[in-house]
Amino acid sequence: MAGANSNLHSSMSIAALLFTFFTLLILPGTANAANSGITRHYKFDIGLKNVTRLCHTRSIVTVNGQFPGPRIVAREGDRVVVKVINHIKDNITIHWHGIRQLQSGWADGPAYVTQCPIQTGQVYVYNFTITGQRGTLFWHAHISWLRATVYGPIIILPEHNVPYPFVKPHKEIPIIFGEWFNTDPEAIIKQALQTGGGPNVSDAYTINGLPGPLYNCSAKDTFRLKVKPGKTYLLRFINAALNDELFFSIANHTLTVVDADAVYVKPFNTTTLLITPGQTTNVLLHTKPYYPNANFLMAARPYVTGQGTFDNSTTAGILEYESPSDVTQNIKKLPLFKPTLPTLNDTSFATNFTKRFRSLASPQFPANVPKTVTHRFFFTVGLGTNPCPKNHSCQGPNGSMFAASVNNVSFALPTTALLQAHFLRQSYKVYTADFPYEPTSPFNYTGNPPNNTNVSNGTKLVVLPFNASVELVMQDTSILGAESHPLHLHGFNFFVVGMGFGNYNPSKDPAKFNLLDPVERNTIGVPAGGWVAIRFQADNPGVWFMHCHLEVHTSWGLKMAWAVLDGDLPNQKLSPPPSDLPKC
């Protein structure tokens, strides 16, 4: 009888296993009981394509021959599977910027952090589920400067039958800012890293890949947004530019901000947006109730805080109203109204605009900001120098080489992916777990800089226990000039609880923190000559990159990484690497 029971128990176990197996097979392609998600498959062929802008034809790296690249569209709760095939000589990776990547760190994408690059002829399948996010994000290459042309939108729709917390738009349009270089950006950064000087700047900014009519030889390459009177449009803005924060405005129109970094915000009206590289902003455009008999320029130009050279130009598109059937109008003869943008260094506007963002903090969309903190960090972020190598002529400050750092550590990418070393517990000669919690040599961060501007160099990580409550204050420094730094954290959203100018005061400033409805983001600008305080819950095991989204600063070392340990439960552990994970 005991044997019969044993066999029966065994049969039931096998049946249960088979049921679980087939359920798992079925779920990705159909419905998931928890979130009603489906699996959406995409294929990215990385290849070269000749593209002409500003009367310069260049062979650029593209996805599926498109510039900008194809859009990813999914609903909250969907699983996204993207097969990436590399047909070019350069190594490539793709980062799904802002996607939380819960337990799917192997799909995050930064080269030598979560994966080795996809080499020529290789294939890698990115596989992740979109959880608790809705709005606009974007994808881009995450190795060297290839994201100059390799980028595209991620459109995340709410779950079925879940409405937007604002009026349903008549139409939704992604608007993605970029930079165009007449020469190869890879050659530009390679030369800069060899000479130690600043890299050449871009030749134009772009809207959906088009520079617009304010540049020479560019009138035909103009983005035109065609609208109907009396309608509401959802414009999904993405700043995919390499090195510049941008102001944007549409002449004679007001925009209502409703979403930032794929999180709803309390709506507010503005005539001008500021959007840093790495940020996304959804706005509602309410068109005029009547046919206005005019066209309206949409323009973007940089917000500049640093002392280096920059692309001082303006990209523009044209907002056109569809004329009623009884109006026959020559569109070329319509008046064209132009917007007034803030001055290039208008930090006052930038600060006031940034402070207007607030979480909805509603029962349906709560702001789960950590109220208690288990781990506090104070990071200085800014520029510095490395000594010029012997028998080498350098073009950095006083004959040195430009560098950048966090807590004076200029991060050196390893040749083995950090996540792999972490997962296999083989950190020896790959990284050390001793990234400083605070500056090792305190100084007056926004006053006169120290005489020694040299940085240290290393591959150091912060290791956090699972579910640690983190408060991080990031302080800009005046070394080689105060400058705004858009810091992006992979793997997490964070709450921006405080911001100010001058040196952060730990005894006074926390009293002013907003713990009620702070905005939730994945990228935030550290103010020039100031500080920003963020909080996040380390509930996602893996290794997570944090870096300045000004690509030149990342190239110089303004980056670091967090290693979050596994929790006790199965859904709190990093999964093993996929079998097709590229090898270094």
Side-chain angles (χ1 to χ4, degrees):
M1 196 64 190
N5 280 337
S6 175
N7 289 337
L8 180 64
H9 181 81
S10 175
S11 302
M12 289 175 67
S13 299
I14 293 169
L17 283 170
L18 285 171
F19 175 79
T20 302
F21 174 73
F22 284 115
T23 302
L24 288 172
L25 278 182
I26 293 166
L27 279 179
T30 55
N32 183 318
N35 53 31
S36 303
I38 64 169
T39 298
R40 299 177 186 258
H41 291 270
Y42 292 88
K43 183 183 175 188
F44 278 15
D45 282 296
I46 312 294
L48 297 175
K49 183 183 174 102
N50 284 341
V51 172
T52 302
R53 298 287 186 271
L54 313 180
C55 282
H56 284 74
T57 300
R58 197 160 63 75
S59 179
I60 68 171
V61 182
T62 63
V63 172
N64 300 347
Q66 299 176 39
F67 172 65
R71 68 183 67 173
I72 297 283
V73 180
R75 289 193 179 275
E76 178 186 348
D78 283 353
R79 182 174 156 212
V80 176
V81 178
V82 187
K83 182 179 183 180
V84 177
I85 308 166
N86 187 8
H87 302 282
I88 63 172
K89 62 178 177 56
D90 296 290
N91 291 344
I92 193 85
T93 69
I94 303 292
H95 170 51
W96 316 94
H97 183 110
I99 296 289
R100 285 289 320 272
Q101 299 293 359
L102 290 163
Q103 289 188 281
S104 55
W106 305 103
D108 191 42
Y112 301 107
V113 178
T114 59
Q115 68 168 100
C116 297
I118 308 167
Q119 299 174 29
T120 305
Q122 283 190 343
V123 177
Y124 182 47
V125 177
Y126 292 92
N127 189 335
F128 54 89
T129 299
I130 298 170
T131 305
Q133 296 179 280
R134 73 294 294 172
T136 306
L137 297 171
F138 71 116
W139 57 265
H140 60 77
H142 212 305
I143 184 169
S144 191
W145 277 23
L146 287 181
R147 78 173 181 88
T149 58
V150 180
Y151 60 82
I154 301 176
I155 310 299
I156 307 173
L157 303 171
E159 292 178 323
H160 278 294
N161 302 318
V162 177
Y164 292 127
F166 45 81
V167 62
K168 184 179 179 182
H170 169 67
K171 197 174 181 183
E172 305 184 9
I173 300 108
I175 296 179
I176 189 162
F177 299 117
E179 287 184 82
W180 171 263
F181 295 80
N182 285 335
T183 53
D184 181 12
E186 290 298 282
I188 290 173
I189 186 56
K190 184 178 179 181
Q191 180 188 32
L193 294 177
Q194 285 175 344
T195 65
N200 292 340
V201 300
S202 59
D203 296 283
Y205 301 107
T206 58
I207 298 176
N208 289 349
L210 304 170
L214 304 182
Y215 296 98
N216 290 332
C217 191
S218 188
K220 72 179 192 323
D221 291 324
T222 299
F223 173 68
R224 296 178 183 274
L225 177 57
K226 297 184 178 178
V227 298
K228 295 179 179 180
K231 299 289 186 183
T232 299
Y233 292 80
L234 181 65
L235 306 183
R236 297 173 174 271
F237 286 98
I238 300 163
N239 188 349
L242 275 188
N243 291 311
D244 288 283
E245 305 181 53
L246 295 169
F247 292 123
F248 173 85
S249 185
I250 303 176
N252 295 22
H253 287 73
T254 298
L255 305 172
T256 303
V257 176
V258 294
D259 188 299
D261 292 356
V263 182
Y264 296 133
V265 299
K266 288 186 171 75
F268 66 91
N269 293 336
T270 183
T271 56
T272 302
L273 301 176
L274 171 65
I275 182 166
T276 77
Q279 287 184 339
T280 63
T281 307
N282 282 6
V283 308
L284 297 178
L285 168 68
H286 303 287
T287 58
K288 298 183 181 300
Y290 52 86
Y291 177 66
N293 235 27
N295 290 326
F296 304 90
L297 206 67
M298 310 185 295
R301 74 176 183 201
Y303 165 51
V304 181
T305 56
Q307 299 180 3
T309 56
F310 62 96
D311 178 353
N312 183 9
S313 67
T314 303
T315 181
I318 297 176
L319 179 69
E320 298 177 353
Y321 279 74
E322 288 185 22
S323 58
S325 55
D326 59 340
V327 176
T328 55
Q329 184 66 263
N330 185 342
I331 205 160
K332 291 183 179 177
K333 291 183 179 177
L334 289 176
L336 179 63
F337 290 97
K338 298 179 181 179
T340 301
L341 286 164
T343 56
L344 293 166
N345 61 351
D346 195 341
T347 293
S348 175
F349 175 89
T351 305
N352 291 332
F353 178 78
T354 302
K355 287 184 175 179
R356 297 182 72 186
F357 285 82
R358 291 280 188 272
S359 287
L360 275 185
S362 65
Q364 189 177 3
F365 303 106
N368 294 318
V369 56
K371 298 297 196 298
T372 58
V373 174
T374 61
H375 291 70
R376 281 188 165 84
F377 300 87
F378 180 77
F379 288 178
T380 55
V381 296
L383 303 185
T385 55
N386 273 320
C388 190
K390 289 181 179 178
N391 305 318
H392 196 79
S393 178
C394 293
Q395 297 173 8
N398 301 316
S400 67
M401 304 186 77
F402 268 115
S405 67
V406 182
N407 274 355
N408 206 50
V409 179
S410 188
F411 195 82
L413 282 177
T415 54
T416 298
L418 295 172
L419 184 60
Q420 186 175 332
H422 166 75
F423 181 81
L424 297 174
R425 294 179 172 82
Q426 295 175 351
S427 62
Y428 180 65
K429 290 190 175 180
V430 180
Y431 68 85
T432 56
D434 57 349
F435 190 90
Y437 278 39
E438 57 192 23
T440 51
S441 301
F443 61 98
N444 182 1
Y445 307 114
T446 55
N448 293 326
N451 293 328
N452 181 6
T453 60
N454 285 345
V455 300
S456 64
N457 299 275
T459 309
K460 299 173 183 288
L461 273 62
V462 171
V463 177
L464 292 171
F466 181 81
N467 221 28
S469 298
V470 177
E471 180 179 284
L472 167 62
V473 176
M474 293 181 283
Q475 171 78 57
D476 182 40
T477 74
S478 56
I479 297 175
L480 303 182
E483 188 167 356
S484 175
H485 298 280
L487 264 291
H488 170 50
L489 175 61
H490 290 227
F492 301 94
N493 283 349
F494 52 76
F495 291 93
V496 183
V497 296
M499 185 178 288
F501 287 95
N503 295 336
Y504 172 72
N505 186 328
S507 61
K508 292 182 179 179
D509 289 324
K512 296 175 281 189
F513 283 0
N514 174 14
L515 303 180
L516 183 65
D517 63 348
V519 69
E520 186 179 348
R521 304 204 74 133
N522 63 60
T523 304
I524 188 65
V526 179
W531 55 271
V532 64
I534 66 172
R535 289 187 180 184
F536 65 95
Q537 201 80 25
D539 58 356
N540 195 6
V543 175
W544 305 107
F545 211 21
M546 191 177 82
H547 60 95
C548 182
H549 225 273
L550 303 180
E551 208 62 34
V552 60
H553 292 171
T554 292
S555 299
W556 287 338
L558 210 168
K559 50 197 175 188
M560 56 82 65
W562 308 79
V564 178
L565 301 177
D566 284 348
D568 295 330
L569 302 176
N571 65 349
Q572 298 172 346
K573 298 181 188 299
L574 176 67
S575 303
S579 58
D580 63 340
L581 187 71
K583 295 177 172 56
C584 291

